[in-house]
mmCIF file of all heavy atoms in Angstrom:
data_model
loop_
_atom_site.group_PDB
_atom_site.id
_atom_site.type_symbol
_atom_site.label_atom_id
_atom_site.label_comp_id
_atom_site.label_asym_id
_atom_site.label_seq_id
_atom_site.Cartn_x
_atom_site.Cartn_y
_atom_site.Cartn_z
ATOM 1 N N PHE A 1 -4.933 -10.830 4.765
ATOM 2 C CA PHE A 1 -4.561 -10.751 3.350
ATOM 3 C C PHE A 1 -5.527 -9.843 2.591
ATOM 4 O O PHE A 1 -5.118 -9.073 1.718
ATOM 5 C CB PHE A 1 -4.543 -12.154 2.725
ATOM 6 C CG PHE A 1 -3.480 -13.050 3.287
ATOM 7 C CD1 PHE A 1 -3.793 -14.064 4.188
ATOM 8 C CD2 PHE A 1 -2.151 -12.884 2.927
ATOM 9 C CE1 PHE A 1 -2.811 -14.889 4.722
ATOM 10 C CE2 PHE A 1 -1.155 -13.709 3.445
ATOM 11 C CZ PHE A 1 -1.490 -14.707 4.345
ATOM 12 N N ILE A 2 -6.831 -9.933 2.934
ATOM 13 C CA ILE A 2 -7.844 -9.097 2.278
ATOM 14 C C ILE A 2 -7.552 -7.624 2.556
ATOM 15 O O ILE A 2 -7.588 -6.779 1.654
ATOM 16 C CB ILE A 2 -9.264 -9.486 2.756
ATOM 17 C CG1 ILE A 2 -9.599 -10.910 2.302
ATOM 18 C CG2 ILE A 2 -10.303 -8.493 2.247
ATOM 19 C CD1 ILE A 2 -10.856 -11.493 2.941
ATOM 20 N N ARG A 3 -7.253 -7.314 3.832
ATOM 21 C CA ARG A 3 -6.959 -5.938 4.218
ATOM 22 C C ARG A 3 -5.677 -5.439 3.534
ATOM 23 O O ARG A 3 -5.615 -4.310 3.045
ATOM 24 C CB ARG A 3 -6.799 -5.859 5.743
ATOM 25 C CG ARG A 3 -6.726 -4.428 6.276
ATOM 26 C CD ARG A 3 -6.364 -4.414 7.740
ATOM 27 N NE ARG A 3 -7.289 -5.206 8.549
ATOM 28 C CZ ARG A 3 -7.012 -5.616 9.784
ATOM 29 N NH1 ARG A 3 -5.841 -5.361 10.316
ATOM 30 N NH2 ARG A 3 -7.882 -6.312 10.463
ATOM 31 N N ASP A 4 -4.653 -6.286 3.482
ATOM 32 C CA ASP A 4 -3.374 -5.926 2.861
ATOM 33 C C ASP A 4 -3.560 -5.634 1.370
ATOM 34 O O ASP A 4 -3.023 -4.659 0.843
ATOM 35 C CB ASP A 4 -2.367 -7.068 3.052
ATOM 36 C CG ASP A 4 -0.941 -6.566 3.134
ATOM 37 O OD1 ASP A 4 -0.735 -5.416 3.551
ATOM 38 O OD2 ASP A 4 -0.027 -7.325 2.768
ATOM 39 N N LEU A 5 -4.331 -6.481 0.697
ATOM 40 C CA LEU A 5 -4.591 -6.301 -0.737
ATOM 41 C C LEU A 5 -5.325 -4.982 -0.987
ATOM 42 O O LEU A 5 -5.024 -4.246 -1.934
ATOM 43 C CB LEU A 5 -5.417 -7.476 -1.275
ATOM 44 C CG LEU A 5 -5.802 -7.415 -2.761
ATOM 45 C CD1 LEU A 5 -4.568 -7.360 -3.646
ATOM 46 C CD2 LEU A 5 -6.677 -8.597 -3.153
ATOM 47 N N SER A 6 -6.285 -4.663 -0.114
ATOM 48 C CA SER A 6 -7.044 -3.419 -0.246
ATOM 49 C C SER A 6 -6.125 -2.192 -0.160
ATOM 50 O O SER A 6 -6.237 -1.257 -0.959
ATOM 51 C CB SER A 6 -8.113 -3.359 0.847
ATOM 52 O OG SER A 6 -8.770 -2.130 0.828
ATOM 53 N N LEU A 7 -5.191 -2.210 0.804
ATOM 54 C CA LEU A 7 -4.233 -1.105 0.969
ATOM 55 C C LEU A 7 -3.320 -0.975 -0.255
ATOM 56 O O LEU A 7 -3.027 0.129 -0.715
ATOM 57 C CB LEU A 7 -3.384 -1.322 2.231
ATOM 58 C CG LEU A 7 -4.107 -1.208 3.578
ATOM 59 C CD1 LEU A 7 -3.211 -1.680 4.713
ATOM 60 C CD2 LEU A 7 -4.535 0.239 3.843
ATOM 61 N N LEU A 8 -2.865 -2.116 -0.796
ATOM 62 C CA LEU A 8 -1.962 -2.103 -1.954
ATOM 63 C C LEU A 8 -2.676 -1.590 -3.207
ATOM 64 O O LEU A 8 -2.098 -0.833 -3.992
ATOM 65 C CB LEU A 8 -1.399 -3.509 -2.203
ATOM 66 C CG LEU A 8 -0.390 -4.013 -1.172
ATOM 67 C CD1 LEU A 8 -0.098 -5.493 -1.389
ATOM 68 C CD2 LEU A 8 0.903 -3.223 -1.241
ATOM 69 N N LEU A 9 -3.942 -1.977 -3.391
ATOM 70 C CA LEU A 9 -4.700 -1.503 -4.553
ATOM 71 C C LEU A 9 -4.956 -0.007 -4.475
ATOM 72 O O LEU A 9 -4.936 0.699 -5.490
ATOM 73 C CB LEU A 9 -6.029 -2.266 -4.666
ATOM 74 C CG LEU A 9 -5.919 -3.745 -5.074
ATOM 75 C CD1 LEU A 9 -7.270 -4.440 -4.958
ATOM 76 C CD2 LEU A 9 -5.379 -3.881 -6.501
ATOM 77 N N GLU A 10 -5.152 0.493 -3.249
ATOM 78 C CA GLU A 10 -5.326 1.937 -3.057
ATOM 79 C C GLU A 10 -4.031 2.672 -3.414
ATOM 80 O O GLU A 10 -4.056 3.731 -4.061
ATOM 81 C CB GLU A 10 -5.725 2.206 -1.597
ATOM 82 C CG GLU A 10 -5.963 3.668 -1.260
ATOM 83 C CD GLU A 10 -7.056 4.300 -2.106
ATOM 84 O OE1 GLU A 10 -8.022 3.605 -2.479
ATOM 85 O OE2 GLU A 10 -6.915 5.503 -2.406
ATOM 86 N N GLN A 11 -2.890 2.101 -3.004
ATOM 87 C CA GLN A 11 -1.581 2.668 -3.375
ATOM 88 C C GLN A 11 -1.434 2.734 -4.888
ATOM 89 O O GLN A 11 -0.984 3.745 -5.431
ATOM 90 C CB GLN A 11 -0.453 1.786 -2.815
ATOM 91 C CG GLN A 11 0.009 2.182 -1.441
ATOM 92 C CD GLN A 11 1.189 1.306 -0.994
ATOM 93 O OE1 GLN A 11 1.782 0.571 -1.789
ATOM 94 N NE2 GLN A 11 1.514 1.369 0.281
ATOM 95 N N TRP A 12 -1.812 1.658 -5.563
ATOM 96 C CA TRP A 12 -1.662 1.597 -7.021
ATOM 97 C C TRP A 12 -2.557 2.620 -7.721
ATOM 98 O O TRP A 12 -2.171 3.232 -8.707
ATOM 99 C CB TRP A 12 -1.954 0.182 -7.523
ATOM 100 C CG TRP A 12 -1.845 0.072 -9.016
ATOM 101 C CD1 TRP A 12 -2.829 -0.231 -9.903
ATOM 102 C CD2 TRP A 12 -0.663 0.303 -9.805
ATOM 103 N NE1 TRP A 12 -2.354 -0.207 -11.191
ATOM 104 C CE2 TRP A 12 -1.021 0.123 -11.163
ATOM 105 C CE3 TRP A 12 0.646 0.644 -9.489
ATOM 106 C CZ2 TRP A 12 -0.118 0.263 -12.199
ATOM 107 C CZ3 TRP A 12 1.563 0.794 -10.531
ATOM 108 C CH2 TRP A 12 1.181 0.603 -11.863
ATOM 109 N N ARG A 13 -3.768 2.836 -7.173
ATOM 110 C CA ARG A 13 -4.673 3.837 -7.759
ATOM 111 C C ARG A 13 -4.053 5.233 -7.696
ATOM 112 O O ARG A 13 -4.151 6.020 -8.630
ATOM 113 C CB ARG A 13 -6.023 3.813 -7.037
ATOM 114 C CG ARG A 13 -6.964 2.743 -7.556
ATOM 115 C CD ARG A 13 -8.379 2.949 -7.034
ATOM 116 N NE ARG A 13 -8.509 2.523 -5.645
ATOM 117 C CZ ARG A 13 -8.797 1.272 -5.282
ATOM 118 N NH1 ARG A 13 -8.971 0.338 -6.191
ATOM 119 N NH2 ARG A 13 -8.894 0.969 -4.008
ATOM 120 N N LYS A 14 -3.396 5.536 -6.565
ATOM 121 C CA LYS A 14 -2.732 6.846 -6.408
ATOM 122 C C LYS A 14 -1.576 6.995 -7.404
ATOM 123 O O LYS A 14 -1.330 8.071 -7.942
ATOM 124 C CB LYS A 14 -2.206 7.001 -4.973
ATOM 125 C CG LYS A 14 -3.309 7.205 -3.955
ATOM 126 C CD LYS A 14 -2.750 7.284 -2.540
ATOM 127 C CE LYS A 14 -3.858 7.427 -1.506
ATOM 128 N NZ LYS A 14 -3.320 7.392 -0.113
ATOM 129 N N ILE A 15 -0.834 5.888 -7.625
ATOM 130 C CA ILE A 15 0.284 5.915 -8.588
ATOM 131 C C ILE A 15 -0.255 6.192 -9.996
ATOM 132 O O ILE A 15 0.280 7.036 -10.728
ATOM 133 C CB ILE A 15 1.074 4.583 -8.554
ATOM 134 C CG1 ILE A 15 1.819 4.441 -7.231
ATOM 135 C CG2 ILE A 15 2.059 4.504 -9.730
ATOM 136 C CD1 ILE A 15 2.409 3.064 -6.982
ATOM 137 N N GLU A 16 -1.328 5.506 -10.384
ATOM 138 C CA GLU A 16 -1.918 5.700 -11.716
ATOM 139 C C GLU A 16 -2.381 7.138 -11.904
ATOM 140 O O GLU A 16 -2.206 7.736 -12.976
ATOM 141 C CB GLU A 16 -3.095 4.738 -11.911
ATOM 142 C CG GLU A 16 -2.672 3.293 -12.149
ATOM 143 C CD GLU A 16 -3.852 2.388 -12.438
ATOM 144 O OE1 GLU A 16 -4.827 2.432 -11.659
ATOM 145 O OE2 GLU A 16 -3.792 1.645 -13.432
ATOM 146 N N GLU A 17 -2.941 7.720 -10.852
ATOM 147 C CA GLU A 17 -3.408 9.103 -10.916
ATOM 148 C C GLU A 17 -2.235 10.063 -11.115
ATOM 149 O O GLU A 17 -2.299 10.998 -11.919
ATOM 150 C CB GLU A 17 -4.159 9.442 -9.610
ATOM 151 C CG GLU A 17 -4.873 10.776 -9.608
ATOM 152 C CD GLU A 17 -5.959 10.863 -10.661
ATOM 153 O OE1 GLU A 17 -6.617 9.836 -10.952
ATOM 154 O OE2 GLU A 17 -6.130 11.962 -11.212
ATOM 155 N N ALA A 18 -1.126 9.797 -10.374
ATOM 156 C CA ALA A 18 0.073 10.653 -10.481
ATOM 157 C C ALA A 18 0.688 10.558 -11.867
ATOM 158 O O ALA A 18 1.168 11.552 -12.423
ATOM 159 C CB ALA A 18 1.083 10.249 -9.418
ATOM 160 N N VAL A 19 0.684 9.349 -12.464
ATOM 161 C CA VAL A 19 1.253 9.157 -13.813
ATOM 162 C C VAL A 19 0.492 9.998 -14.835
ATOM 163 O O VAL A 19 1.074 10.591 -15.748
ATOM 164 C CB VAL A 19 1.208 7.657 -14.209
ATOM 165 C CG1 VAL A 19 1.540 7.480 -15.680
ATOM 166 C CG2 VAL A 19 2.187 6.853 -13.359
ATOM 167 N N LYS A 20 -0.831 10.079 -14.671
ATOM 168 C CA LYS A 20 -1.663 10.820 -15.627
ATOM 169 C C LYS A 20 -1.512 12.332 -15.483
ATOM 170 O O LYS A 20 -1.646 13.064 -16.456
ATOM 171 C CB LYS A 20 -3.136 10.443 -15.435
ATOM 172 C CG LYS A 20 -3.462 9.019 -15.859
ATOM 173 C CD LYS A 20 -4.893 8.671 -15.462
ATOM 174 C CE LYS A 20 -5.182 7.190 -15.708
ATOM 175 N NZ LYS A 20 -6.489 6.794 -15.157
ATOM 176 N N THR A 21 -1.244 12.797 -14.267
ATOM 177 C CA THR A 21 -1.301 14.246 -14.015
ATOM 178 C C THR A 21 0.051 14.943 -13.935
ATOM 179 O O THR A 21 0.123 16.148 -14.118
ATOM 180 C CB THR A 21 -2.054 14.514 -12.693
ATOM 181 O OG1 THR A 21 -1.420 13.778 -11.626
ATOM 182 C CG2 THR A 21 -3.505 14.075 -12.804
ATOM 183 N N ARG A 22 1.136 14.195 -13.682
ATOM 184 C CA ARG A 22 2.438 14.861 -13.476
ATOM 185 C C ARG A 22 3.374 14.633 -14.661
ATOM 186 O O ARG A 22 3.405 13.545 -15.233
ATOM 187 C CB ARG A 22 3.084 14.348 -12.184
ATOM 188 C CG ARG A 22 2.280 14.777 -10.953
ATOM 189 C CD ARG A 22 2.681 14.025 -9.707
ATOM 190 N NE ARG A 22 4.041 14.283 -9.318
ATOM 191 C CZ ARG A 22 4.634 13.720 -8.275
ATOM 192 N NH1 ARG A 22 3.973 12.843 -7.538
ATOM 193 N NH2 ARG A 22 5.886 13.998 -7.972
ATOM 194 N N PRO A 23 4.166 15.686 -15.045
ATOM 195 C CA PRO A 23 5.081 15.545 -16.191
ATOM 196 C C PRO A 23 6.305 14.709 -15.828
ATOM 197 O O PRO A 23 6.804 14.770 -14.708
ATOM 198 C CB PRO A 23 5.484 16.991 -16.499
ATOM 199 C CG PRO A 23 5.325 17.713 -15.197
ATOM 200 C CD PRO A 23 4.210 17.036 -14.461
ATOM 201 N N ALA A 24 6.813 13.930 -16.811
ATOM 202 C CA ALA A 24 8.012 13.093 -16.576
ATOM 203 C C ALA A 24 9.266 13.932 -16.820
ATOM 204 O O ALA A 24 9.243 14.887 -17.584
ATOM 205 C CB ALA A 24 7.980 11.910 -17.532
ATOM 206 N N PRO A 25 10.429 13.596 -16.188
ATOM 207 C CA PRO A 25 10.570 12.538 -15.181
ATOM 208 C C PRO A 25 10.119 13.022 -13.804
ATOM 209 O O PRO A 25 10.411 14.151 -13.418
ATOM 210 C CB PRO A 25 12.077 12.257 -15.194
ATOM 211 C CG PRO A 25 12.700 13.561 -15.572
ATOM 212 C CD PRO A 25 11.729 14.242 -16.494
ATOM 213 N N CYS A 26 9.433 12.171 -13.075
ATOM 214 C CA CYS A 26 9.014 12.533 -11.722
ATOM 215 C C CYS A 26 8.845 11.259 -10.902
ATOM 216 O O CYS A 26 8.687 10.169 -11.449
ATOM 217 C CB CYS A 26 7.716 13.327 -11.749
ATOM 218 S SG CYS A 26 6.297 12.354 -12.287
ATOM 219 N N CYS A 27 8.885 11.424 -9.583
ATOM 220 C CA CYS A 27 8.710 10.292 -8.671
ATOM 221 C C CYS A 27 7.226 10.205 -8.319
ATOM 222 O O CYS A 27 6.666 11.138 -7.749
ATOM 223 C CB CYS A 27 9.556 10.497 -7.412
ATOM 224 S SG CYS A 27 9.351 9.202 -6.196
ATOM 225 N N VAL A 28 6.593 9.085 -8.692
ATOM 226 C CA VAL A 28 5.155 8.929 -8.422
ATOM 227 C C VAL A 28 4.893 8.078 -7.182
ATOM 228 O O VAL A 28 3.769 8.013 -6.695
ATOM 229 C CB VAL A 28 4.421 8.323 -9.644
ATOM 230 C CG1 VAL A 28 4.419 9.293 -10.802
ATOM 231 C CG2 VAL A 28 5.018 6.983 -10.056
ATOM 232 N N PHE A 29 5.932 7.398 -6.679
ATOM 233 C CA PHE A 29 5.765 6.598 -5.457
ATOM 234 C C PHE A 29 7.128 6.350 -4.832
ATOM 235 O O PHE A 29 8.107 6.095 -5.532
ATOM 236 C CB PHE A 29 5.103 5.253 -5.778
ATOM 237 C CG PHE A 29 4.974 4.345 -4.571
ATOM 238 C CD1 PHE A 29 4.003 4.579 -3.613
ATOM 239 C CD2 PHE A 29 5.837 3.275 -4.387
ATOM 240 C CE1 PHE A 29 3.891 3.754 -2.493
ATOM 241 C CE2 PHE A 29 5.729 2.446 -3.276
ATOM 242 C CZ PHE A 29 4.749 2.699 -2.328
ATOM 243 N N GLU A 30 7.198 6.470 -3.509
ATOM 244 C CA GLU A 30 8.440 6.185 -2.784
ATOM 245 C C GLU A 30 8.181 5.096 -1.761
ATOM 246 O O GLU A 30 7.086 5.013 -1.207
ATOM 247 C CB GLU A 30 8.928 7.447 -2.065
ATOM 248 C CG GLU A 30 9.912 8.257 -2.871
ATOM 249 C CD GLU A 30 10.524 9.377 -2.019
ATOM 250 O OE1 GLU A 30 9.784 10.279 -1.617
ATOM 251 O OE2 GLU A 30 11.738 9.332 -1.777
#
């Protein structure tokens, strides 16, 4: 569970970064 949570939080950090840098509408995670 600890390892799974770590991977998911890393995914979320990448999504937040994409939201800040890319113009809408765009796909930030698939």
Side-chain angles (χ1 to χ4, degrees):
F1 294 104
I2 295 169
R3 190 189 304 163
D4 210 27
L5 179 60
S6 174
L7 292 170
L8 289 170
L9 290 172
E10 181 59 33
Q11 270 183 12
W12 179 244
R13 277 192 283 273
K14 288 177 183 175
I15 292 169
E16 286 184 310
E17 188 62 34
V19 169
K20 291 172 188 172
T21 56
R22 293 166 64 181
C26 68
C27 177
V28 293
F29 177 76
E30 267 189 295

